[in-house]
Amino acid sequence: MIERAPHSMPKETGWIEVIAGCMFSGKTEELIRRLRRAKIAKQNVKIFKPQIDTRYSTSDIVSHSEQSLPSILIDDIKEVLKYSDDAEVIGIDEAQFFTSDIVDVCNTLANKGKRVIVAGLDQDYRGIPFEPMPQLLAIAEYITKTLAICVECGNPADKTQRKTTTSERVVVGAADIYEARCRKCHYIPKES
Ligand code: ZN
């Protein structure tokens, strides 16, 4: 999607890329791939993720396939502005865990000429749009929707099935609690 011929890439301006999808769809892998390529090109890259996501590592962004890049853990998305003065490319993972301030932060960075790449879950375990992802999708120049494969039937999957009965919106976990499902096979778990 963003792999364009150099002449069609934006010049002398920043922009926002959003990578959205369900769990196990390769969002973080895709984010890491783009950031790595920028690093190889000797661009100054900064990577941020929310304090809440400490599943695999406390200071790296790590995909389920165990690729990683060193990242800065933050509580408040506005902290990105403090750390990003010298950055040319800014990656933000797990965007669904930040407040809607992320919209202003991403616009501010892009308006300063930076390339901003944001990855996040676009729906919660019930299939409801997960703020602030819808707002980010609206302001992005480039959008990639990553699909997983349905564990039940093999169809392309864009929903995250929770295998426990808790009704909290945020329960951090991986394959033990969640799996990818298509529209046909996804259901909302009954609350216990
Ligand atoms: Zn299915």
Side-chain angles (χ1 to χ4, degrees):
M1 153 105 6
I2 196 70
E3 310 295 69
R4 289 158 183 263
H7 63 266
S8 68
M9 290 292 285
K11 282 210 179 63
E12 290 161 16
T13 180
W15 70 88
I16 300 169
E17 299 165 37
V18 172
I19 303 163
C22 62
M23 288 184 70
F24 312 107
S25 64
K27 297 182 301 295
T28 299
E29 265 174 85
E30 178 58 22
L31 176 65
I32 290 173
R33 190 186 71 82
R34 293 183 194 180
L35 295 172
R36 262 217 180 106
R37 283 161 36 96
K39 277 195 159 175
I40 290 166
K42 307 227 178 332
Q43 294 175 343
N44 188 331
V45 175
K46 289 264 165 69
I47 309 151
F48 300 90
K49 68 173 192 178
Q51 196 77 252
I52 189 171
D53 183 34
T54 53
R55 275 175 296 183
Y56 305 95
S57 159
T58 50
S59 59
D60 292 355
I61 58 166
V62 183
S63 70
H64 294 296
S65 62
E66 291 178 352
Q67 293 203 60
S68 72
L69 277 179
S71 68
I72 302 168
L73 286 174
I74 51 171
D75 283 317
D76 183 341
I77 190 66
K78 292 190 211 109
E79 291 174 68
V80 172
L81 298 172
K82 275 200 312 226
Y83 293 116
S84 295
D85 275 347
D86 55 346
E88 299 166 87
V89 181
I90 291 142
I92 302 170
D93 200 14
E94 302 287 0
Q96 76 280 355
F97 291 145
F98 288 114
T99 64
S100 59
D101 289 333
I102 195 171
V103 174
D104 274 349
V105 168
C106 290
N107 270 330
T108 300
L109 295 166
N111 291 345
K112 283 183 180 168
K114 300 175 193 297
R115 176 185 179 192
V116 184
I117 316 172
V118 188
L121 266 185
D122 55 358
Q123 301 165 54
D124 70 7
Y125 71 100
R126 298 164 296 179
I128 292 171
F130 208 147
E131 302 82 17
M133 291 301 289
Q135 288 76 12
L136 287 170
L137 287 162
I139 60 161
E141 276 88 350
Y142 303 101
I143 294 166
T144 302
K145 175 116 177 182
T146 51
L147 294 174
I149 295 169
C150 178
V151 169
E152 288 292 305
C153 75
N155 269 335
D158 90 323
K159 309 237 180 284
T160 303
Q161 182 69 54
R162 186 181 281 176
K163 299 192 280 181
T164 65
T165 54
T166 170
S167 61
E168 277 175 70
R169 197 174 200 190
V170 176
V171 177
V172 174
D176 52 333
I177 307 179
Y178 297 103
E179 62 189 29
R181 297 274 182 101
C182 72
R183 181 181 292 280
K184 187 177 62 143
C185 301
H186 176 262
Y187 66 94
I188 300 169
K190 286 211 169 63
E191 288 174 29
S192 54

